[in-house]
Amino acid sequence: GNSRLPKLFIPSAGFAPAETRHGRTLVTRLSIVIPCLGPCEQFEETLASVLQHRPDRSEIIVAHRQPYSDPYQLRDEVTFSHVAANSLVDLVNDAVQDARGDVVHLLAAGTEVQEGWTHFALRHFADPRIAAVAPLVLKLASPGRIETMGVSYRRGGQRVSVGHDLPIPDHHALQDEVLGPSLLAGFFSRDAILALGGFCREVGDELADIDFALALRDLGCRFVLEPKSQVSCVPQGKSRSLMGAVSRGWSAETLFWRHWVQEGRAASLLAHPLTTLVDAAQHEGMIAGGLKLFGRTLGLSSIRAQQGYEQQLTAAAELLGDLETRSDSLALPTIRDERIQPAASRSARQRAA
């Protein structure tokens, strides 16, 4: 087919030895995770790009729902994780459980990278207070324009993609608005992801990034936008079924009730009705908008979601506090059993040698 994998694939010499931290040898500094819900052809361009520009001391994990035959025999270079999952969040959380890096770099299918794209982003993690770094995600089809700088949040419960369609030089004016990376591309502290129990399934794939950004902020963790780290993107077409609108409404309402207290009770409640109507009108058709509003009505059952969110923050703060005291990292087996809910089942999993 049109795959670029054969001509771009460059075998690496394997993982370089990492430094020893607190008596523990780090196998890899960076885990690059490429999740893909759709056909496997969707991730091949991204994987080819990553393999061509692969940084030292990194591993690559492709988490995919569809079967993949590995026609280019990349198993020695890439971990292919075949997961029976219905959501992107499940694929990401599953891959994070198996990641060996201190930093997890999420790259959506359809993104492409360039030489040295991780360098400036990874430097920020020398500060232990930094839990996430957002690269500039650029439009591959419109050179010089931004797809997203990251995500922001409005008190009525709306996720905002900051900087969408702006010229690159204009990013300076909006950089203070960004709360965290989008799921198109972002760098995250693995310990922070594990402490929070992974990305939240209840808010759905489209809102999981802003939910996580708010959680990091409420934990007191720091976030950085790094414009020198750049990723190009051709957004994958999203399937928006009518019945899916009900689920999207429920997820959006869950997001609001998880965060309304931290955002200010009165201001949140006042802004919520208008935000709800605007969201339904702008992002859905007439029928789907009505179904989304119906979903939001059903989502009122999440009105106590803030209590669970507070418990999540408390547990995460205790875990991260213990780490700081011990100067260590989370023990993956403990966390994966107790915090992250894995996808329903894992079928064939192909491991990197």
Side-chain angles (χ1 to χ4, degrees):
N2 296 323
S3 172
R4 299 188 302 158
L5 277 171
K7 65 180 181 182
L8 284 188
F9 173 56
I10 302 172
S12 75
F15 297 137
E19 76 269 22
T20 299
R21 187 178 71 182
H22 312 299
R24 194 168 58 89
T25 299
L26 303 181
V27 177
T28 178
R29 166 71 168 153
L30 179 67
S31 295
I32 301 170
V33 173
I34 305 171
C36 182
L37 273 178
C40 293
E41 292 76 21
Q42 291 182 356
F43 69 69
E44 287 189 332
E45 292 286 318
T46 301
L47 179 57
S49 175
V50 170
L51 285 169
Q52 183 184 24
H53 303 298
R54 181 180 191 164
D56 292 336
R57 290 173 47 211
S58 64
E59 66 173 350
I60 303 170
I61 302 173
V62 176
H64 54 100
R65 182 174 64 173
Q66 305 290 343
Y68 187 61
S69 61
D70 188 19
Y72 309 112
Q73 300 298 307
L74 299 177
R75 264 181 278 186
D76 289 342
E77 297 293 324
V78 180
T79 298
F80 292 101
S81 176
H82 182 193
V83 183
N86 294 317
S87 73
L88 196 69
V89 167
D90 278 340
L91 287 178
V92 169
N93 285 345
D94 192 89
V96 170
Q97 294 177 53
D98 297 317
R100 297 176 291 170
D102 297 319
V103 177
V104 174
H105 178 27
L106 298 182
L107 273 177
T111 54
E112 295 189 15
V113 299
Q114 56 191 345
E115 186 69 30
W117 92 98
T118 66
H119 176 71
F120 290 101
L122 290 179
R123 289 174 61 182
H124 292 290
F125 288 97
D127 181 347
R129 297 169 296 180
I130 301 296
V133 175
L136 276 187
V137 182
L138 309 180
K139 289 177 172 284
L140 195 60
S142 303
R145 304 197 79 83
I146 297 171
E147 176 64 34
T148 186
M149 298 163 56
V151 292
S152 185
Y153 184 76
R154 293 181 183 157
R155 281 177 173 168
Q158 183 182 1
R159 172 196 183 272
V160 178
S161 176
V162 181
H164 180 70
D165 211 28
L166 285 180
I168 294 174
D170 292 355
H171 80 270
H172 297 285
L174 296 175
Q175 59 187 11
D176 290 340
E177 294 186 17
V178 185
L179 285 177
S182 78
L183 285 188
L184 282 176
F187 297 83
F188 302 89
S189 159
R190 175 174 161 275
D191 284 343
I193 298 176
L194 293 174
L196 281 164
F199 290 84
C200 180
R201 303 174 68 198
E202 286 71 30
V203 301
D205 292 346
E206 294 183 16
L207 301 175
D209 48 16
I210 186 57
D211 178 85
F212 194 81
L214 290 167
L216 289 181
R217 181 203 64 184
D218 294 340
L219 273 175
C221 297
R222 295 190 180 184
F223 155 78
V224 176
L225 172 69
E226 180 45 79
K228 292 180 181 178
S229 177
Q230 298 184 356
V231 172
S232 299
C233 175
V234 177
Q236 302 292 326
K238 293 180 180 178
S239 176
R240 283 177 167 261
S241 66
L242 285 179
M243 290 313 297
V246 176
S247 175
R248 292 192 294 275
W250 191 312
S251 296
E253 199 66 14
T254 300
L255 177 76
F256 173 77
W257 291 112
R258 274 170 64 83
H259 299 285
W260 73 290
V261 171
Q262 279 78 10
E263 294 297 314
R265 288 179 171 87
S268 294
L269 291 175
L270 286 171
H272 188 47
L274 180 59
T275 299
T276 295
L277 292 173
V278 169
D279 174 57
Q282 285 186 345
H283 299 104
E284 309 284 349
M286 183 177 296
I287 296 176
L291 289 172
K292 188 168 187 178
L293 290 174
F294 175 64
R296 281 187 176 270
T297 303
L298 297 177
L300 287 172
S301 61
S302 303
I303 197 167
R304 291 189 174 86
Q306 191 268 338
Q307 296 175 5
Y309 176 64
E310 289 280 3
Q311 294 171 358
Q312 180 186 13
L313 290 180
T314 300
E318 290 177 355
L319 284 167
L320 293 174
D322 287 345
L323 291 184
E324 187 174 1
T325 301
R326 299 196 314 266
S327 297
D328 202 353
S329 285
L330 291 177
L332 182 58
T334 302
I335 299 305
R336 71 189 298 173
D337 290 342
E338 295 179 1
R339 301 287 295 141
I340 293 186
Q341 297 181 8
S345 67
R346 303 182 192 188
S347 47
R349 184 183 296 280
Q350 299 169 332
R351 298 270 177 221

